[in-house]
Amino acid sequence: MHLVRVALDVPLPTLFDYRLEQSGRELIGARVVVPFGRGQRTGIVLEAGGEAQVPRHRIKRVAHVFADEPRLAPDVLQLMRFASRYYHYPMGQVVMGALPQALRRAHASREAMARVMLTPAALAADWSSLPSRAVARRRVLEYLRARGPSPPAVVRSLASTASRALRDLLAEGWIGVEEHVAPGFDECLTHEAVRGPALTADQAEAVEAIGATLDCFAAWLLLGVTGSGKTEVYLRLIERTLARGGQALILVPEINLTPQLEARLAGRFPGVLLAALHSGVPEAERLRRWRAAESGRAGVLVGTRLAVFTPLPRLALIVVDEEHDASLKQQEGLRYSARDLAVLRAKQCQVPVVLGSATPSLESYAKALAGRYRLTRLSGRVSSQLPSIRCVDTRAQRLRDGLSSELIAALTRGLASAEQSLVFINRRGFAPALLCFACGWSAPCPRCSARLVLHLHAARLRCHYCGHEEAVSQACPSCGNLDLTPAGHGTQRIEHALAQLFPAARILRIDRDTARRRKAFEQMRQRVQDHQIDILIGTQMLAKGHDFPRLTLVGVINADSALYSTDFRAAEKLFAQLTQVAGRAGRREAAGEVLIQTQFPDHPLYRAVQRQDYAAFAELALQERREAGFPPYAHQVLLRAEAPQREAVERFLGRAAQSGARLGFRVEVYDPVPSPVARVAGRERGHLLVQSASRSELQRFLDAWTPQLSGREAGRVRWSLDVDPLEL
Ligand code: ADP
Ligand code: ZN
Ligand code: ZN
């Protein structure tokens, strides 16, 4: 009898023993189905041989081995092992969570990719010759004639006897099976390559420097102002990588950024199979693309954070675009940083990794200053000047629905000269509410410790934490005042105000409400690009990476709220956000102009933004972090807990703090506190911060501490660890 140890999607920090007739050594990385509890589960074999952890007679047999599927590659398994250890998350959940959904299920995967379709024989045949009782067969044929190639599972669901009909039709040669080929792939093989522009001196230098490290591990920080042509640098490096037969992995923070990049890649590299992996790709298609990467057929893989775990046998270059972006960190389950794992993977595979940004995270910049990352800069824009940035002092005037006279004047000028404008609303920790000025009441969520957000169009109040919704009250429930006032400047209120000010302007609002679906966002982006829009109103979503050629004016509303934040990263985030959003302005011939409305025009942060001097800002901010003992000069872990009762959370965190302090490591264990939004959907939330100057000491502490957390009271409390947290 041979033993294998299998990773399963179970919240336990262990692998599971099973037995097998053959030796399991060749099965490491293989997908298997095993009995578990009363049912069956799919897992991955991670170890073979060794001693069983449970009595022999209790070890069950592996039910099925997917023998002809490729094994999960050793380097990917190694990356997963690291992630499991470092983020203190069960290995089984790391492994299974990183696989496409189709591979987590206990069915064969091949079928998910196949399509059945009518053969020429079926199309030529006279269907009326079918016996009249062949109802299912007829239905299958009609369906395929109407819909074209379809997944067998769909066809089988057409009738109770459709499975048999499908089998019969296959046997008769009326139906064939094809491997599904994604649309886009064939097209990109046919058209002609778009030639890249001649590089600027900065770009050429960066490409040469990074290109000289294509054979080894090197972590590069590409610090390039907005519009400096970072993407062009990536493209040249990808070109070299492909020419040497390598694969490139490109990570982007946001699914909305992939279409632009995909289009540029497809134009530049016809004949190269591109695969994009993100949450918007349907499951069967995702598996197909994952396999294309795994088999080495895909030359370039573009994806959001989960793509970092994709097997790439010829991996030769990793790019992380907008490396500062918080979306690269997963905020639930395995709370990993895709950027940090990308650097680790590059090291394991001995390939270069390029982290690109106009406003790098202070963590990365500090590493570059310390010589651990190599730094290369693109200091000017390619084809235009950086925009001019000015603060508008809002203390001196009465705003008109949140808009200053300077901003209104600038918008008027923009309309007159047929340029596009963007009114940007910083909504971090800020949203429009319904207020009673008589008694101070503001509509609360009944299930959360949060205010409800006013949605003007729907005339509803909504909770952005739990989704609770109610009608707008006519009178204050607390004092009866009939004059409730909308407070704060939501996108909808600004839209309303702008529509009244500029009745002839074509105005488009892009926020989480209007761009909920990816398609909707893509369509809106296209309309902006095609200059069907004069004034764009938007939130965070728009600050990132987009290239709108006609956009010259950016007005920023509501930036100040970040200045009073208790989050020590607030300044860094605000600087990045303002720089990014300013970077949307004037990317072509026309000069860009940025107006920031603020009550603190002399604040050092706004001064730094105006000078567009990232290095100066970063050095100052790093000095403050060093003095305060914050990251990157310290390493943090957050223990988060939630339960229906606040006492349960407090008791759990209190004991955790005590047991942590008793362990005697060189770490600081802070007092438990309620989370900034302390109650969500009726559950109380709190956290406990642990910090250490030494990353390895903190890791040793976690190794000792984590097993103690699953004690008696843990049953009622849901808890999780967030290593290197970005948000409280
Ligand atoms: P970034 O990613 O740094 O914001 P992009 O790579 O998107 O900048 O480049 C901004 C614009 O400049 C794009 O439209 C791009 O096609 C163009 N561009 C980039 N490099 C060059 C170059 N060397 N010559 C001319 N145009 C360029
Ligand atoms: Zn709520
Ligand atoms: Zn009131």
Side-chain angles (χ1 to χ4, degrees), residues 334-565:
L334 173 66
R335 293 168 181 262
Y336 64 102
S337 157
R339 174 195 66 211
D340 295 351
L341 289 183
V343 174
L344 188 90
R345 187 162 184 197
K347 194 166 183 179
Q348 283 176 353
C349 298
Q350 288 294 302
V351 302
V353 56
V354 182
L355 311 180
S357 176
T359 53
S361 64
L362 289 176
E363 280 80 1
S364 296
Y365 191 63
K367 283 187 184 140
L369 292 181
R372 292 176 55 200
Y373 290 174
R374 303 186 205 191
L375 184 61
T376 172
R377 294 173 201 261
L378 308 177
S379 42
R381 278 192 167 179
V382 174
S383 52
S384 62
Q385 297 295 308
L386 281 168
S388 74
I389 303 182
R390 221 153 38 86
C391 283
V392 174
D393 188 347
T394 56
R395 287 169 306 185
Q397 59 175 294
R398 246 187 93 90
L399 299 179
R400 189 160 162 186
D401 281 308
L403 303 167
S404 62
S405 50
E406 286 91 334
L407 181 53
I408 293 173
L411 288 166
T412 311
R413 282 198 303 275
L415 283 170
S417 53
E419 302 285 354
Q420 274 174 341
S421 303
L422 164 64
V423 176
F424 178 79
I425 305 179
N426 174 37
R427 272 218 302 212
R428 231 172 236 288
F430 191 91
L434 196 63
L435 278 189
C436 171
F437 278 116
C439 76
W441 173 88
S442 85
C445 174
R447 310 168 67 206
C448 308
S449 55
R451 280 191 330 202
L452 295 176
V453 177
L454 181 61
H455 287 250
L456 274 185
H457 280 300
R460 308 278 290 170
L461 292 163
R462 267 186 220 142
C463 174
H464 281 195
Y465 292 93
C466 73
H468 168 85
E469 222 184 283
E470 60 187 55
V472 173
S473 6
Q474 295 304 313
C476 171
S478 155
C479 75
N481 174 15
L482 286 172
D483 193 15
L484 295 179
T485 322
H489 311 292
T491 48
Q492 301 183 1
R493 185 148 167 237
I494 294 290
E495 182 183 20
H496 195 67
L498 287 172
Q500 289 193 324
L501 277 167
F502 306 109
R506 297 165 298 175
I507 299 175
L508 177 69
R509 170 170 62 92
I510 302 190
D511 59 17
R512 245 172 301 173
D513 285 336
T514 62
R516 193 158 288 159
R517 287 173 310 109
R518 181 173 137 88
K519 277 241 173 60
F521 182 85
E522 207 23 51
Q523 280 163 4
M524 292 194 276
R525 202 184 61 77
Q526 197 59 50
R527 284 174 64 200
V528 180
Q529 196 114 36
D530 297 345
H531 204 193
Q532 293 172 21
I533 300 301
D534 301 311
I535 302 177
L536 192 60
I537 304 163
T539 53
Q540 277 77 274
M541 276 183 121
L542 280 184
K544 303 175 183 180
H546 300 286
D547 192 15
F548 297 130
R550 300 298 299 252
L551 189 74
T552 52
L553 171 69
V554 172
V556 179
I557 287 179
N558 239 322
D560 289 345
S561 52
L563 298 179
Y564 345 112
S565 170

Side-chain angles (χ1 to χ4, degrees), residues 197-200 203 224-234 236 264 321-322 378 382-383 545 547 584 587-588:
L199 296 182
T200 64
Q203 284 175 323
V225 299
T226 56
S228 60
K230 292 183 289 295
T231 313
E232 189 57 42
V233 172
Y234 308 152
R236 297 302 169 106
R264 269 172 94 170
D321 194 22
E322 310 290 357
L378 308 177
V382 174
S383 52
D547 192 15
R584 299 312 110 215
R587 290 168 72 90
R588 296 298 189 280

